[in-house]
Amino acid sequence: MTIKFNNFTSSCTPLFIDNVDTDQIIPARYLTATDKKGFGEHLFMDLRFKDDGKTRKSDFPLNNPKYRKAEILLAHENFGCGSSREHAPWALLGYGFKAVVAISFADIFRNNSLKNGLMMIELPREVVNQMHKDVEKNSSEQGSVDLGKQTFTWKGVAHSFPINGFVKKCLLEGLDDIGYTLSFAKAIEAYEKQHKTNI
Amino acid sequence: MPKTTYEKIWEAHTVRESAGEPTILYIDLHMIHEVTSPQAFTGLKTRGIGVRRPENTVATMDHSVPSIGRKTLPWLNELAHKQVQMLEKHCKEYGITLYDLDSLHQGIVHIIGPELGLTQPGRTIVCGDSHTSTHGAFGALAFGIGTSEVEHVLATQCLLQNRTKTMAVTITGTLPKGVYSKDIILKIINKIGVGGGTGYTLEYRGSAIEKLSMEARMTICNMSIEAGARAGLIAPDQTTVDYLAKRVKFPSDAEKEKTIAKWLSWRTDEGAAFDKEITIAGEEIEPMVTWGTNPAMSVPISGTIPTEDTEENKNACAYMGLTAGQKILGQKIDYVFIGSCTNSRIEDLRIAAKIMKGKKIAKDIIAYVVPGSQEVKAMAEKEGLRDVFTTAGCEWREPGGSMCIAMNGDIVPAGKYCASTSNRNFMGRQGKGARTFLMSPAMAAVATIEGHISDVREYI
């Protein structure tokens, strides 16, 4: 799919929890849809709502009006662990997030997110912890994502974050990775001639 | 230079390598199911292209299928039914073999791959499901992918991948009585943490691993993802060959010999280097039980719930309704689930049935036994295992993910405790508010009889 990432500046919604799994991000009972739309309304469903599924839990950050405009989710360690469901980034994007900042991300979740243009900003522990403190003090503090420079600027300091060079190129240029692989169709054909898998 | 199994498979499947670009890696087997494939097929249609290798693609329905009433099929909702209908339609349209609900081979995707002899050493295997690592038990490179990558494989039979690091996880010696492969993997995850394997492919080795059956090996590789690893594998050996020889068709004896030699050639060479190595003594592993809300939060059956005052521990105790410092032994349960891609193979059911034989389940316990596939179900019925379970008072259900992912209506009610042989104890995983204790089938069987978490070593 062709997705081009645009740099942006936004405030953050803090989620100071380690090992947030994809079952939290989008519970399995909402995975029966056959398109990519509508998952946003079920994002963090059981963390956001009480047992009746309607009443908001007032202490959950996503329910706090002061974070309503945030397009960055400020998470903590090993965000997105668990299942390979791409419904997790679809839900985060559908809700309105464009990037997640964390100390680390789970492998499949990171892949799935970047394929959909949800930016994965991995920063050192001390930076992430300081950001949580800063946001607690001032919820309107804004961070800026610059993909070309691979930086996330917070309180005047540009922190660089890692991203695979090819993935970065795809997101900067709106390059379609399936199209890229198909451009090597001859190499695939040649490979298949000498490699037979009899399934 | 000596190479690991991972390196050998990687190199043999490299279609194109170029500095600064990801490797184009060829995929031998692509397994698909109803939940993570519909959007991928929509993507193909938008592009106006087809499935490159339908013959290398195999489908089944396992996540949202009802585990009761195969004739009436009480779908959770219309959407769940539609998902399955879409899979049927897509498989027909693109010529993909589908093991549907009428098939004698239907079952959880990671159970049927090996049963059908499709999972073989040296193959690259992917599926839109994180527990695809299961197939690594055969010395295959197998990993879970998201829906975008499902579309990528359907379109190109390849994936864009970067090499992982490798970690040797050695289990030495012999397992004590009452300790099973589930306990090994829970111990490993407890040791390295839920993110400890991120960026790695794990290779399980050592004498305790070599002694395991294929079924037991699959349980270990299955949960590699719970340590965050891309994949987990075990080098193929005679046990692997014996399992597959019965399931793979060979055109001739000569061909069989050749294939077996090839299978064994994927073994890690003597002296091959790993990026990281950890070792655990098999003798020191006890039956393990999770107490918290991720698979690393576990204790030996003799243990107590950790008292470290961390946010994560506090949240987990609050969700689970447990107290720091309390014993896990004797903790009451309400539900039992014996099933899932981790522990629903014939060996798991034999172990559980042996313990339950002639016994009754404890008062007020609801116990589901859900075989992983139609093949396992038929075998278990023939061996009399079903009768053992149903006589004891368990429910014997139809193959599928059932109460592991709880998206077919099989749920543990909020606040209730479930002794489960599945792979995830995440909040809400078995149903909103459900409280999960992960353990081996033997431990789950004992808990079923006693009504609380008990020590299997006192029963066998």
Side-chain angles (χ1 to χ4, degrees), chain A residues 15-66:
Chain A
L15 190 64
F16 194 81
I17 308 175
D18 285 340
N19 304 313
V20 172
D21 57 75
T22 52
D23 279 84
Q24 302 305 302
I25 299 173
I26 176 97
R29 60 185 185 277
Y30 301 114
L31 304 187
T32 49
T34 49
D35 58 23
K36 299 181 185 179
K37 294 191 195 93
F39 293 108
E41 62 184 286
H42 302 304
L43 177 70
F44 294 122
M45 193 67 191
D46 297 340
L47 293 173
R48 263 202 300 155
F49 296 96
K50 290 187 178 169
D51 288 345
D52 63 7
K54 288 177 202 143
T55 317
R56 288 171 188 273
K57 292 181 184 172
S58 58
D59 55 347
F60 190 65
L62 269 73
N63 291 329
N64 192 329
K66 67 181 179 183

Side-chain angles (χ1 to χ4, degrees), chain B residues 171-182:
Chain B
I171 313 296
T172 59
T174 307
L175 296 179
K177 209 172 94 173
V179 175
Y180 301 87
S181 64
K182 183 65 161 284

Side-chain angles (χ1 to χ4, degrees), chain B residues 352-359 384-394:
Chain B
K354 198 173 166 192
I355 290 168
M356 277 199 225
K357 192 163 187 180
K359 304 273 190 354
L385 308 185
R386 171 185 59 182
D387 296 339
V388 170
F389 292 123
T390 54
T391 306
C394 301

Side-chain angles (χ1 to χ4, degrees), chain B residues 273-290:
Chain B
F274 290 87
D275 295 302
K276 192 174 175 179
E277 302 199 25
I278 64 161
T279 301
I280 296 171
E283 287 79 5
E284 285 171 17
I285 304 175
E286 280 187 66
M288 300 288 289
V289 181
T290 62

Side-chain angles (χ1 to χ4, degrees), chain A residues 1-2 16-19 21-24 27-37 39 45-47 49-54 78 81-87 90 104-108 110-112 115-116 164-167 170 176-182 184-185 187-192 194-199, chain B residues 12-16 20-22 24 26 28-29 35-36 38-39 42 47 49 52-53 55-56 58 64 76-77 79-80 82-83 86 118 123 127-130 144-149 151-152 155-158 160-162 194-195 198-199 225-226 228-230 293-294 311-312 315 405-407 424 426-429 432:
Chain A
M1 204 175 10
T2 311
F16 194 81
I17 308 175
D18 285 340
N19 304 313
D21 57 75
T22 52
D23 279 84
Q24 302 305 302
R29 60 185 185 277
Y30 301 114
L31 304 187
T32 49
T34 49
D35 58 23
K36 299 181 185 179
K37 294 191 195 93
F39 293 108
M45 193 67 191
D46 297 340
L47 293 173
F49 296 96
K50 290 187 178 169
D51 288 345
D52 63 7
K54 288 177 202 143
N78 194 33
C81 61
S83 117
S84 63
R85 62 187 69 158
E86 202 157 314
H87 313 68
W90 295 336
S104 59
F105 294 98
D107 184 46
I108 307 179
R110 180 201 294 265
N111 268 339
N112 286 344
K115 298 258 183 205
N116 290 277
N164 176 280
F166 177 77
V167 174
C170 286
D176 169 39
D177 62 351
I178 293 179
Y180 168 86
T181 303
L182 285 172
F184 297 102
I188 301 172
E189 274 163 35
Y191 178 86
E192 283 176 331
Q194 53 87 29
H195 177 92
K196 297 258 186 297
T197 315
N198 300 312
I199 300 291
Chain B
H13 290 80
T14 297
V15 173
R16 180 182 180 271
E21 287 172 49
I24 299 182
Y26 196 76
D28 292 318
L29 174 64
V35 178
T36 56
Q39 296 87 351
T42 305
R47 289 168 189 279
I49 56 174
R52 181 177 177 89
R53 287 276 164 198
E55 68 275 27
N56 290 39
V58 172
S64 60
L76 176 67
N77 55 36
L79 281 172
K82 188 182 160 205
Q83 234 177 19
M86 276 184 86
L118 298 171
R123 283 190 171 167
C127 173
D129 187 280
S130 61
I145 55 177
T147 299
S148 293
E149 288 186 318
E151 184 183 339
H152 203 126
T156 68
Q157 202 55 36
C158 295
L160 297 172
Q161 289 283 302
N162 293 293
V194 282
T198 304
I225 182 68
E226 308 314 333
R230 171 70 58 85
T293 52
N294 73 48
E311 200 67 22
E312 195 171 33
N315 288 340
I405 187 164
M407 62 178 294
R424 287 183 176 140
F426 295 152
M427 285 187 262
R429 171 78 180 186
K432 197 168 157 181

